[in-house]
Amino acid sequence: MDLTALARANPDHWSKATAIRALTLDAVAAANSGHSGMPMGMADVATVLFEKHLKFDAANPLWPDRDRFILSAGHGSMLIYSLLHLTGYEQFPIEELKNFRQMGARTAGHPENFLADAIETTTGPLGQGIANSVGFAMAEEMLRAQYGAKVVDHHTYVIAGDGCLMEGVSQEAITLAGRHKLSKLIVMWDNNNITIDGPVTLSDNTDQVARFKAAQWHVIEIDGHNPDEIDAALTEAKATDLPTMIACKTHIALGHAAQDTSKGHGALTDADQMAEAKKAYGWTTGPFEVPADVKSAWEEIGKRGADTRRDWEERFDKMPRAKRETFNRALALDAPKKMSATVKAFKKQITESAPKMATRAASEKALEVLNPILPETVGGSADLTGSNNTKTSDLGVFDVDNRGGRYVYWGIREHGMAAAMNGMALHGGIRPYGGTFMCFTDYARPSMRLAALMQIPTAFVMTHDSIGLGEDGPTHQPVEHLAISRATPNTYVFRPADAVETAEAWEIAFTSKTTPSVLSLTRQGLPTVRLEHKNNNLTEKGAYVLADAEGKRQVILIATGSEVHVALAARDLLQAEGIGTRVVSMPCMELFAAQDEAYRKRVLPGGAVRVGVEAGMRQGWDQWLFGERGKYGKADFVGMDRFGASAPAEELFERFGFTAENVAQKAKALL
Amino acid sequence: MDLTALARANPDHWSKATAIRALTLDAVAAANSGHSGMPMGMADVATVLFEKHLKFDAANPLWPDRDRFILSAGHGSMLIYSLLHLTGYEQFPIEELKNFRQMGARTAGHPENFLADAIETTTGPLGQGIANSVGFAMAEEMLRAQYGAKVVDHHTYVIAGDGCLMEGVSQEAITLAGRHKLSKLIVMWDNNNITIDGPVTLSDNTDQVARFKAAQWHVIEIDGHNPDEIDAALTEAKATDLPTMIACKTHIALGHAAQDTSKGHGALTDADQMAEAKKAYGWTTGPFEVPADVKSAWEEIGKRGADTRRDWEERFDKMPRAKRETFNRALALDAPKKMSATVKAFKKQITESAPKMATRAASEKALEVLNPILPETVGGSADLTGSNNTKTSDLGVFDVDNRGGRYVYWGIREHGMAAAMNGMALHGGIRPYGGTFMCFTDYARPSMRLAALMQIPTAFVMTHDSIGLGEDGPTHQPVEHLAISRATPNTYVFRPADAVETAEAWEIAFTSKTTPSVLSLTRQGLPTVRLEHKNNNLTEKGAYVLADAEGKRQVILIATGSEVHVALAARDLLQAEGIGTRVVSMPCMELFAAQDEAYRKRVLPGGAVRVGVEAGMRQGWDQWLFGERGKYGKADFVGMDRFGASAPAEELFERFGFTAENVAQKAKALL
């Protein structure tokens, strides 16, 4: 590349873009790790975007109607950190850039939404950002339909690399966006033909332009170093009624000795080569120094949106008070006042009628009463609507001609659904929940983990939660998936025993602000086990005494979900033999672990043998079976230690020992 | 559809295809569950494929040079069961069809490779079959290059539905196939425009033809009920030098009242509607009865390949004996004779030189000596070759013009890589291994689970296995992933402590026949801890005494991988205070659990406090900390209970307590 010509053609642009490149080189060198090439390659695109198109106000990073900027190629984090510093975000003084990738810095190796207001989502695992962006853009459409274009009217801009586009989830994302004509979604593809292993062509020869067109996108191809072309493309993108992909032909590590090579992808820390690159840029200041005029030009850009924001605030204040309150409440993730009473009434009605019902059906019933009082909920399913019981009567279906619809037919895209739900939650104003079979936790895992890491309350409705699904067989029968979700930090895993616990789980999921929920629900019918009405949400305690021992307590049976009624039946057998038996229902291990020691000991006191019962792997159970550190009793576990099988559910439960007789027998063997 | 016209146009074809439809209806009705519509819709395509194109011999389901038939839309399992019964496979008498979805039957809800010889892969989780098929086709190319077209020359045929094509993994699969011009891969898309939630257009409007063309496929569009068009398309597909997608326009549940509806996707069990459908087909026999002439026509098809197979055997027998032996050994997954000596020599050399080395680097060194003696290994990485250390000097790179290459640049496609590796293993003759960062276990999970369920020895090389990867931060730092893989039945999870254990892990992985392996390897350097050479493979025991207590044994430290040397240092501190301390290295919990009780007790005797040390979640550890059922001691665990952070690795280990001082302190607190 002839850098001199580039600089001469657009000197103001060039100096601004160069500031990004220089800061990137400096920060990566200081950290002695990181990824230099991508920010250097995409600096021109990002500069034009921030200077001329992105609606933002650096002084108000959380302004609700800002455009969203998503760096899907998260390894290029110095691009966003540079931009946030240069435009004057308070959370990004130059010290943050000097501490790139150091303990406690906001400038983590990959952008982390929970470290800074202006970072919309956590990226790095490739494809996540572009898949999140679909949820961002859907949320914008939904909220615009709900509150009007005067208060909700913004774009979602994404920078994605070849890695993002090679990941399968990108296909799920772009086909969703194309299907729903998410015209305010604009993806800028960093088309640099380089991956870590070498040129893209080493592993891929996809015609990306044709691929996006096949997914019903508008596509524009430009030189990613030509500011006029970038500007024109962004203008055109905003004018179309389709989502737009701008293929930006760029040079990774522009101007560096490693330009256009896979070496350029990584940390470019060689001092001489850095000096040469800066010289070629015409950049003469020291490390982390930005010439005052360049910094001030960038800061002007950071203030560019201030008036627009003020105008927005005026318009917002003119909205009817009730609407404003709902808007703010949803944004703050506060529960509506009616929530508690609604759940209590629902529970009371269940306790009184004591239906036999699958917890997936109970979940639908709970959602039927909750969705009407929570206009921020958005439901959906990955093509299992009738099986996941996620659609309630009042939601309406989100579509091109019905943006106010609150139900999404996600198609057979578990991963894309999970990532887009995360995007909705991150956008704000929406509480997403979506369903698939629990076994397909596997497909959604990358985004489920990120929900936990990002501290957002996405709710994953995982039905058909054990061998109890029967004939579909081991490909569809989760056995390790409770353990998988429980092993993940900051995740509530609910396995409710009946409709009462299911409603309690939903109450927690829909009041959670920083923790995602997994609702593990049965296909098969279960009896109601909570036959005494309690106003309190007992699931909130994680575990509680469902039926206490009569006489001397010799056995404690601990069970979850569909095995709770088995434990109750086992208790009947044991009590009939004069063996005092307590049954503890444990719908959420994480919440039980969070209780104080006194409560935990009250529920699980010493002096009795313990048997855990759950149609899943034992992993994670031993802490409850063997008590707190240093105080142990005799214990056993009735669970799965292998994959299931294809057969009717009742036969499988019998075959794998989930019977009252077997549980009672295991308990007696310990006495 | 005018069924009479269809029947009249091709009466012989019609009766054969109708046999599939009728058996499907009968089996689903008998099971009262299953999926009728897909086999009924694709019966014509499958009939023409089996009658005129598929190279197979029903009497020899495992004939190595057979064409592979993969039912990616696995819910339509009655299609393959019908075909296997009709063509006379011994394992599929009519009784199996009558027992569809019942306990112990081969006719599980979804096709399971481990239940019957002729089922090439386990499908049901959508997209897996089409992604496996890329590995099947690559394996064929590789083996053809290795053994010649006289003994390896077959096609891979796939039936995929809309669900398969909507799943992201299908994009990874088809772009791989396009990049590598896998011309012997032929995908028949069941284009019926129906998913469970409704018409495909409810959730998707992708132009699949354009999409496949963008991925460099040859595409043919046909009427999926016209046998002539089907035949011509298959002929054309075999003649191109690109992978081919045949878009077969079909009617789901053809001829049934539920035709062309999402109801048709499921179990069609209404007796009257079944009778009407059969009447419309002109099918007059009772349930599970196939007219003798139709059955005999199908059986002729089943024998069609017998001569071809005999000719192949003659050609095979003419191959040089050494080649034949290698071919058969690889197919049988037997280890070469040199394996044991090679590993021993490697271990001896390591013990003597005692290098400080990351286990990912140790893995490369082990592979450098193993790959040359195992011509069946195929390595690869999802665009992290230099980081995963998976490429050794002698492999060569698999490419269009180098089919003998044994290294695959998989691109940024963790899921596609895992699924294709499974396909290679299922094809036979290949031992695949492939790498990514351990955190991206999440992306590969659906296929890693299936490797375990399918009982195939795929090896997953998961480097950067903890916070020890440092600055890339929590998006890239696994904390729950050891627990995730350990929770999965039939999976070896190796976390070797040094180069000796790494080589031992590879020896086990490369001799395993029915269990996949996960090798969890460090980014950072580790000291050699096995300083005394042992010919025996100690990792095979799962855990062993690495350093015993001097004096009275008061403490047992149990550690894995990068924490073993920390435990040894903690032992030094404790012994210096006169506290007798044993260190147990536990590179594979699953193998330790499989030892007899006497050995487990020898390694982990009572009478001492125990501290586990591993930079991961505690889940799965309590069984070792608290001993066998009924015998418990005091114990503690030094691990992670949250996500990591972005900072240099040494600081993170210090911050999270992985220091000799902290471990010694925890042990002392228990005394």
Side-chain angles (χ1 to χ4, degrees):
Chain A
M1 291 295 292
D2 181 351
L3 299 194
T4 318
L6 282 179
R8 200 170 302 146
N10 297 280
D12 288 347
H13 166 85
W14 180 257
S15 61
K16 285 197 283 284
T18 300
I20 296 171
R21 295 188 174 100
L23 288 172
T24 296
L25 284 168
D26 292 340
V28 170
N32 198 28
S33 79
H35 300 83
S36 316
M38 185 282 204
M40 294 164 70
M42 283 298 277
D44 296 305
V45 170
T47 297
V48 174
L49 174 68
F50 273 63
E51 181 172 3
K52 303 204 169 150
H53 295 274
L54 193 77
K55 181 167 75 167
F56 75 109
D57 174 9
N60 288 273
L62 297 177
W63 167 29
D65 199 34
R66 69 193 179 277
D67 285 344
R68 269 46 170 194
F69 173 61
I70 293 169
L71 189 70
S72 192
H75 54 276
S77 56
M78 270 310 300
L79 180 65
I80 192 166
Y81 301 148
S82 300
L83 288 161
L84 296 177
H85 166 69
L86 288 166
T87 52
Y89 280 85
E90 200 179 6
Q91 291 183 325
F92 286 87
I94 195 72
E95 287 69 33
E96 282 291 341
L97 276 64
K98 290 180 180 172
N99 276 322
F100 181 50
R101 298 183 148 233
Q102 303 308 302
M103 188 82 82
R106 288 188 205 282
T107 46
H110 293 81
E112 294 172 13
N113 69 302
F114 49 93
L115 295 181
D117 292 337
I119 295 175
E120 306 285 358
T121 180
T122 295
T123 50
L126 292 172
Q128 294 299 316
I130 190 171
N132 292 157
S133 75
V134 173
F136 275 93
M138 280 184 174
E140 196 267 350
E141 294 282 0
M142 288 166 174
L143 294 174
R144 185 146 37 87
Q146 196 174 342
Y147 295 99
K150 286 188 180 170
V151 291
V152 182
D153 187 11
H154 53 264
H155 286 83
T156 302
Y157 294 98
V158 183
I159 288 184
D162 292 297
C164 291
L165 299 195
M166 246 189 268
E167 291 286 1
V169 71
S170 68
Q171 181 68 14
E172 301 183 21
I174 72 171
T175 53
L176 274 167
R179 167 61 184 79
H180 286 289
K181 289 187 188 275
L182 300 176
S183 58
K184 303 185 94 172
L185 174 59
I186 297 169
V187 171
M188 295 152 285
W189 168 36
D190 179 16
N191 178 15
N192 61 27
N193 195 34
I194 290 295
T195 74
I196 291 175
D197 276 355
V200 167
T201 46
L202 197 63
S203 58
D204 191 51
N205 60 354
T206 305
D207 179 340
Q208 297 289 0
V209 169
R211 176 195 176 201
F212 274 77
K213 286 182 178 168
Q216 317 301 336
W217 284 53
H218 181 61
V219 182
I220 308 169
E221 295 179 78
I222 62 166
D223 170 0
H225 300 298
N226 181 323
D228 297 330
E229 288 190 29
I230 299 165
D231 185 27
L234 287 167
T235 301
E236 179 180 331
K238 287 193 285 191
T240 66
D241 63 352
L242 296 176
T244 299
M245 191 273 264
I246 306 174
C248 311
K249 192 82 207 77
T250 61
H251 295 275
I252 196 167
L254 181 85
H256 189 279
Q259 180 185 312
D260 299 328
T261 69
S262 54
K263 190 178 172 301
H265 171 90
L268 303 176
T269 55
D270 181 276
D272 292 342
Q273 290 181 344
M274 273 177 63
E276 273 171 50
K278 287 189 180 178
K279 194 174 160 197
Y281 296 154
W283 194 257
T284 54
T285 55
F288 294 107
E289 281 173 28
V290 179
D293 59 328
V294 179
K295 183 69 169 79
S296 119
W298 266 115
E299 283 174 3
E300 283 308 307
I301 294 172
K303 291 171 191 158
R304 191 170 53 77
D307 289 347
T308 313
R309 178 189 53 78
R310 271 188 295 270
D311 293 348
W312 178 86
E313 277 168 5
E314 277 173 27
R315 292 196 301 277
F316 183 81
D317 289 342
K318 284 183 194 144
M319 261 207 312
R321 181 174 159 175
K323 260 198 163 174
R324 267 182 291 143
E325 283 178 356
T326 304
F327 186 96
N328 286 330
R329 185 186 58 70
L331 215 60
L333 292 167
D334 290 331
K337 288 205 183 70
K338 281 186 198 164
M339 170 88 97
S340 174
T342 305
V343 173
K344 279 173 199 158
F346 178 86
K347 284 164 57 179
K348 192 148 189 289
Q349 182 261 312
I350 291 289
T351 297
E352 284 165 8
S353 58
K356 181 172 173 170
M357 188 189 287
T359 48
R360 62 177 173 141
S363 170
E364 181 178 337
K365 282 200 179 296
L367 292 170
E368 280 286 4
V369 299
L370 290 171
N371 278 333
I373 63 165
L374 287 156
E376 63 267 38
T377 55
V378 169
S381 165
D383 199 45
L384 290 167
T385 295
S387 299
N388 299 146
N389 300 63
T390 35
K391 190 164 182 291
T392 61
S393 46
D394 64 321
L395 291 181
V397 174
F398 177 76
D399 209 333
V400 177
D401 56 5
N402 188 32
R403 296 309 201 186
R406 288 164 55 199
Y407 192 80
V408 181
Y409 286 113
W410 290 109
I412 300 107
R413 304 182 180 98
E414 300 82 6
H415 193 176
M417 171 179 75
M421 287 200 297
N422 286 350
M424 289 178 176
L426 290 160
H427 178 280
I430 302 277
R431 265 194 189 276
Y433 69 87
T436 183
F437 287 159
M438 185 156 180
C439 209
F440 303 144
T441 296
D442 289 347
Y443 281 75
R445 256 299 294 176
S447 302
M448 291 176 74
R449 178 181 211 253
L450 280 164
L453 176 63
M454 295 196 288
Q455 302 171 20
I456 52 174
T458 313
F460 302 95
V461 182
M462 299 305 197
T463 71
H464 297 58
D465 73 342
S466 76
I467 51 168
L469 67 83
E471 293 90 343
D472 271 349
T475 52
H476 287 55
Q477 290 164 352
V479 295
E480 72 272 43
H481 300 86
L482 286 165
I484 286 173
S485 288
R486 287 178 185 146
T488 309
N490 190 39
T491 302
Y492 293 143
V493 183
F494 296 106
R495 192 156 189 264
D498 68 2
V500 175
E501 284 190 3
T502 304
E504 291 179 340
W506 271 121
E507 183 176 21
I508 301 164
F510 280 163
T511 44
S512 171
K513 295 191 176 190
T514 57
T515 300
S517 297
V518 175
L519 287 96
S520 167
L521 305 172
T522 66
R523 174 190 186 213
Q524 73 277 19
L526 300 179
T528 299
V529 296
R530 283 276 287 282
L531 298 171
E532 195 187 330
H533 175 66
K534 300 273 185 194
N535 269 328
N536 288 352
N537 185 325
L538 298 184
T539 299
E540 215 162 53
K541 296 281 192 186
Y544 61 90
V545 179
L546 178 63
D548 212 346
E550 291 166 26
K552 182 176 181 302
R553 182 176 56 238
Q554 297 184 66
V555 173
I556 301 177
L557 303 178
I558 314 170
T560 76
S562 53
E563 283 67 68
V564 171
H565 76 93
V566 177
L568 287 172
R571 176 180 173 276
D572 290 345
L573 296 178
L574 291 163
Q575 288 286 167
E577 296 189 41
I579 301 168
T581 302
R582 167 180 285 192
V583 171
V584 170
S585 179
M586 189 177 271
C588 183
M589 287 188 179
E590 298 75 27
L591 285 169
F592 186 59
Q595 302 308 309
D596 61 28
E597 197 185 342
Y599 179 77
R600 292 202 310 270
K601 275 193 182 164
R602 265 205 316 281
V603 175
L604 295 178
V609 302
R610 299 181 186 177
V611 178
V613 195
E614 181 174 85
M617 300 296 281
R618 180 169 183 149
Q619 220 189 62
W621 269 88
D622 285 6
Q623 58 184 319
W624 313 121
L625 299 179
F626 300 137
E628 311 282 325
R629 173 156 34 126
K631 305 176 196 71
Y632 311 101
K634 287 187 182 179
D636 204 347
F637 181 67
V638 178
M640 298 293 294
D641 61 0
R642 46 157 285 181
F643 293 112
S646 172
E650 308 72 41
E651 292 178 37
L652 291 168
F653 279 120
E654 180 87 24
R655 157 76 182 77
F656 290 109
F658 300 100
T659 63
E661 293 71 22
N662 185 49
V663 172
Q665 178 51 42
K666 293 276 184 195
K668 286 197 284 180
L670 297 170
L671 292 173
Chain B
M1 291 294 291
D2 181 353
L3 299 193
T4 318
L6 282 179
R8 200 172 299 145
N10 298 280
D12 289 347
H13 166 84
W14 179 256
S15 60
K16 285 197 283 282
T18 300
I20 296 172
R21 295 187 175 102
L23 288 173
T24 296
L25 284 167
D26 293 339
V28 170
N32 198 28
S33 80
H35 300 82
S36 315
M38 185 281 205
M40 293 164 71
M42 284 296 278
D44 296 305
V45 171
T47 298
V48 175
L49 174 67
F50 272 63
E51 181 171 4
K52 302 205 170 151
H53 296 273
L54 193 76
K55 181 167 76 168
F56 76 108
D57 175 9
N60 288 273
L62 297 177
W63 168 29
D65 199 35
R66 69 193 179 278
D67 285 343
R68 273 31 174 207
F69 172 61
I70 293 170
L71 189 70
S72 192
H75 54 275
S77 56
M78 270 311 300
L79 181 65
I80 192 165
Y81 301 149
S82 300
L83 289 161
L84 296 177
H85 166 70
L86 289 167
T87 51
Y89 280 84
E90 200 180 4
Q91 291 183 326
F92 286 87
I94 195 71
E95 288 68 33
E96 282 291 341
L97 275 63
K98 291 180 180 170
N99 277 320
F100 181 49
R101 297 182 147 231
Q102 303 309 301
M103 188 82 82
R106 289 187 203 283
T107 46
H110 294 81
E112 295 171 12
N113 68 303
F114 49 92
L115 294 181
D117 292 339
I119 296 174
E120 304 286 356
T121 180
T122 295
T123 51
L126 292 171
Q128 294 299 315
I130 190 172
N132 292 157
S133 76
V134 173
F136 274 93
M138 280 184 173
E140 195 267 351
E141 295 281 359
M142 288 167 174
L143 294 174
R144 186 146 37 87
Q146 197 175 341
Y147 296 99
K150 285 187 178 170
V151 292
V152 182
D153 187 12
H154 54 266
H155 287 81
T156 303
Y157 293 98
V158 182
I159 288 183
D162 291 297
C164 292
L165 299 194
M166 245 188 269
E167 292 285 1
V169 70
S170 68
Q171 181 67 14
E172 300 183 23
I174 72 171
T175 53
L176 274 167
R179 166 62 184 79
H180 287 289
K181 288 186 189 274
L182 300 176
S183 58
K184 303 184 93 171
L185 175 59
I186 297 168
V187 171
M188 293 152 286
W189 168 36
D190 179 15
N191 178 15
N192 61 28
N193 194 35
I194 290 295
T195 74
I196 290 174
D197 276 354
V200 167
T201 45
L202 198 63
S203 59
D204 191 50
N205 61 354
T206 306
D207 179 341
Q208 296 290 359
V209 169
R211 175 194 177 201
F212 275 77
K213 285 182 178 168
Q216 318 301 336
W217 283 55
H218 182 61
V219 181
I220 308 169
E221 295 179 77
I222 62 166
D223 169 359
H225 300 298
N226 182 322
D228 297 329
E229 287 190 30
I230 300 164
D231 185 27
L234 287 166
T235 302
E236 179 180 332
K238 288 193 283 191
T240 65
D241 61 354
L242 297 175
T244 299
M245 190 273 264
I246 305 174
C248 310
K249 193 82 209 76
T250 61
H251 296 275
I252 196 167
L254 182 85
H256 189 278
Q259 179 185 313
D260 299 327
T261 70
S262 54
K263 188 177 174 301
H265 172 89
L268 303 176
T269 55
D270 181 276
D272 292 341
Q273 290 181 343
M274 273 177 62
E276 273 173 51
K278 286 189 181 180
K279 193 175 163 200
Y281 297 154
W283 194 256
T284 54
T285 55
F288 295 108
E289 281 174 28
V290 179
D293 58 329
V294 179
K295 182 70 170 79
S296 122
W298 266 115
E299 283 175 3
E300 283 309 307
I301 294 172
K303 293 173 188 156
R304 192 171 51 78
D307 289 347
T308 313
R309 178 189 53 77
R310 271 189 295 271
D311 293 348
W312 177 87
E313 277 168 5
E314 276 173 28
R315 292 196 302 277
F316 183 81
D317 288 342
K318 284 183 193 144
M319 263 209 308
R321 180 173 160 177
K323 262 197 160 174
R324 267 182 291 143
E325 283 178 357
T326 304
F327 186 96
N328 286 329
R329 184 186 59 69
L331 214 60
L333 292 167
D334 290 330
K337 288 207 184 69
K338 280 186 196 163
M339 170 87 97
S340 174
T342 304
V343 172
K344 280 174 198 159
F346 178 85
K347 284 163 58 180
K348 193 150 189 288
Q349 182 259 315
I350 291 290
T351 296
E352 283 166 8
S353 58
K356 180 171 174 170
M357 188 190 286
T359 47
R360 61 176 172 141
S363 170
E364 181 178 338
K365 282 200 180 297
L367 291 170
E368 280 286 2
V369 299
L370 290 171
N371 277 333
I373 62 165
L374 286 155
E376 64 266 38
T377 56
V378 168
S381 165
D383 199 46
L384 290 167
T385 295
S387 299
N388 298 146
N389 299 62
T390 35
K391 189 163 183 291
T392 62
S393 46
D394 63 321
L395 290 182
V397 174
F398 176 76
D399 209 335
V400 178
D401 55 4
N402 188 31
R403 297 308 202 187
R406 288 165 56 199
Y407 192 79
V408 181
Y409 286 113
W410 290 108
I412 300 107
R413 304 182 180 97
E414 299 83 6
H415 193 175
M417 170 179 76
M421 288 201 296
N422 286 350
M424 289 178 176
L426 289 160
H427 178 280
I430 302 278
R431 264 195 189 277
Y433 70 87
T436 183
F437 287 158
M438 185 155 179
C439 209
F440 303 144
T441 295
D442 289 346
Y443 282 75
R445 256 300 294 178
S447 303
M448 291 175 74
R449 177 180 212 253
L450 279 164
L453 177 62
M454 295 197 288
Q455 303 171 18
I456 52 173
T458 313
F460 302 96
V461 182
M462 298 307 197
T463 71
H464 297 58
D465 74 342
S466 76
I467 52 167
L469 67 82
E471 293 89 343
D472 272 348
T475 52
H476 287 56
Q477 290 163 353
V479 296
E480 71 273 44
H481 299 86
L482 286 166
I484 286 173
S485 288
R486 286 177 185 147
T488 310
N490 191 38
T491 302
Y492 294 143
V493 183
F494 296 106
R495 192 157 189 260
D498 68 2
V500 174
E501 284 191 2
T502 304
E504 290 179 340
W506 272 122
E507 184 177 21
I508 300 163
F510 280 163
T511 45
S512 171
K513 295 190 178 191
T514 58
T515 300
S517 297
V518 175
L519 287 94
S520 168
L521 305 172
T522 66
R523 175 191 185 212
Q524 73 276 19
L526 300 179
T528 299
V529 297
R530 283 277 287 283
L531 298 170
E532 194 186 333
H533 176 67
K534 302 273 184 193
N535 269 329
N536 288 352
N537 185 325
L538 298 185
T539 298
E540 216 162 53
K541 296 281 192 186
Y544 60 91
V545 179
L546 178 63
D548 213 346
E550 291 167 25
K552 182 176 180 304
R553 182 176 56 238
Q554 296 184 65
V555 173
I556 301 177
L557 304 177
I558 314 170
T560 76
S562 53
E563 284 67 68
V564 171
H565 75 94
V566 177
L568 287 172
R571 175 180 175 276
D572 289 346
L573 295 178
L574 291 164
Q575 288 285 166
E577 296 189 41
I579 301 169
T581 301
R582 167 180 286 192
V583 171
V584 170
S585 179
M586 190 177 271
C588 182
M589 287 188 179
E590 298 75 28
L591 286 169
F592 186 59
Q595 302 308 308
D596 61 30
E597 197 184 344
Y599 178 78
R600 292 201 310 270
K601 275 194 183 164
R602 266 208 312 284
V603 174
L604 295 178
V609 303
R610 299 179 187 179
V611 178
V613 195
E614 182 174 84
M617 300 296 281
R618 180 170 183 150
Q619 220 189 60
W621 269 88
D622 285 6
Q623 58 185 319
W624 313 120
L625 299 179
F626 300 136
E628 310 282 324
R629 173 154 36 125
K631 306 178 197 68
Y632 310 101
K634 286 187 181 178
D636 204 348
F637 181 65
V638 178
M640 298 293 294
D641 61 0
R642 47 157 284 182
F643 292 113
S646 171
E650 308 72 40
E651 293 178 35
L652 291 169
F653 279 121
E654 180 85 24
R655 156 77 181 77
F656 290 108
F658 299 100
T659 62
E661 293 70 22
N662 186 50
V663 172
Q665 179 51 40
K666 294 275 184 195
K668 285 198 285 181
L670 297 170
L671 292 173

